[in-house]
Amino acid sequence: LTDADIDYLLESAHLYFPESRLTRKDIVAAFAGTRPLIGSSKPGVKEERLPRDFEIISVPGAMVSITGGKLTTYRRMAQKVLDRALAECLPGTDARPCATISPLLASTPGEAGADSPAPPPELLRLLADRYGPDHHRVLEIIRQDPSKARRLTPGLATLWAEIDFAVAHEFVQKLSDFLFRRTMIFLCAEGNGLDLAEPVARYLGKILGWNEARVRNEIERYQQEVSFYSVR
């Protein structure tokens, strides 16, 4: 994200929300991605005139890549590239049809079992909105240890139980996986979650079997990521 990008976004915010009086001091973090538009390397072609189509490129029996596209077609893109990968790299595989046509994760809070006390409604809603039908798995973690229903910090709606869930079901292997890529802590928490780095690293360390050197290394690596991405 460049200084010009930040100025542009602040000017737009002031235009639509003049009472906000936002300045650079109000920015916690910034993140920008690169749109992989097909044909963007052609000289003299303006970005807004390039198509948002996607293209699949493959080396039969080796690798299948996809480029282009847009967020609103990502499920269709996933279906197409998986179908191509199965056909070219694993011909004859007896695989079930691609499931991207099924609904996205969504859920309404379920009821507690007969032998379990009903969780607070606000906890049910938070987890159902965040995890869909998987919210029962987080509730089970809390049922086994009610202390894990605590928030990581009072001003942040992220629970200790979510760390357990992220390790068990979302492939979290590093501190930055959780603070940066599985939650919005880096982008939304005051100070980019630096004050949480050590307690969360030690919690992860107990689950994943880290020694003290690994814990310190994870904290330092997260500090480096924050320094790289934060707006100063």
Side-chain angles (χ1 to χ4, degrees):
L1 202 66
T2 66
D3 286 339
D5 292 329
I6 295 171
D7 290 339
Y8 168 75
L9 292 171
L10 285 173
E11 288 172 8
S12 298
H14 294 156
L15 177 63
Y16 292 101
F17 306 101
E19 70 284 357
S20 65
R21 297 186 176 87
L22 292 173
T23 69
R24 283 176 175 256
K25 293 182 179 179
D26 297 304
I27 301 174
V28 175
F31 183 82
T34 302
R35 183 192 291 274
L37 295 176
I38 298 172
S40 58
S41 61
K42 295 179 180 178
V45 179
K46 293 184 178 181
E47 181 180 313
E48 59 266 24
R49 294 188 176 278
L50 291 172
R52 269 49 176 175
D53 299 334
F54 62 87
E55 183 177 342
I56 298 174
I57 305 165
S58 62
V59 177
M63 185 175 73
V64 177
S65 301
I66 187 167
T67 188
K70 53 185 180 178
L71 288 175
T72 51
T73 60
Y74 78 97
R75 301 190 83 197
R76 179 67 170 172
M77 293 167 63
Q79 179 180 342
K80 289 288 187 181
V81 76
L82 284 172
D83 288 344
R84 176 75 72 84
L86 284 171
E88 294 189 0
C89 299
L90 298 170
T93 300
D94 184 16
R96 65 181 183 179
C98 186
T100 61
I101 196 171
S102 62
L104 289 168
L105 284 180
S107 181
T108 54
E111 296 182 358
D115 58 344
S116 302
E122 61 274 14
L123 174 62
L124 277 173
R125 175 53 59 189
L126 170 71
L127 296 178
D129 287 347
R130 189 169 292 169
Y131 294 101
D134 277 342
H135 77 281
H136 293 287
R137 295 184 175 184
V138 187
L139 284 175
E140 178 59 22
I141 294 169
I142 293 171
R143 189 190 67 78
Q144 294 180 16
D145 185 350
S147 70
K148 294 182 179 181
R150 293 180 297 114
R151 296 185 177 200
L152 299 185
T153 187
L156 196 65
T158 304
L159 313 179
W160 288 98
E162 293 182 76
I163 302 178
D164 293 75
F165 178 85
V167 172
H169 303 288
E170 296 182 333
F171 305 103
V172 162
Q173 292 294 308
K174 298 187 294 184
L175 176 62
S176 58
D177 285 342
F178 184 77
L179 295 179
F180 195 175
R181 286 176 278 276
R182 301 299 187 278
T183 67
M184 298 293 286
I185 290 174
F186 166 79
L187 289 173
C188 298
E190 190 69 31
N192 307 112
L194 284 173
D195 58 333
L196 293 172
E198 181 163 352
V200 173
R202 295 197 177 281
Y203 191 89
L204 280 169
K206 290 180 180 179
I207 299 173
L208 296 169
W210 295 346
N211 59 23
E212 180 63 21
R214 174 67 185 272
V215 169
R216 299 311 311 174
N217 180 258
E218 291 293 329
I219 295 170
E220 290 172 6
R221 288 172 64 181
Y222 183 68
Q223 291 170 339
Q224 291 170 2
E225 288 198 56
V226 168
S227 177
F228 181 80
Y229 286 107
S230 295
V231 177
R232 293 289 181 261

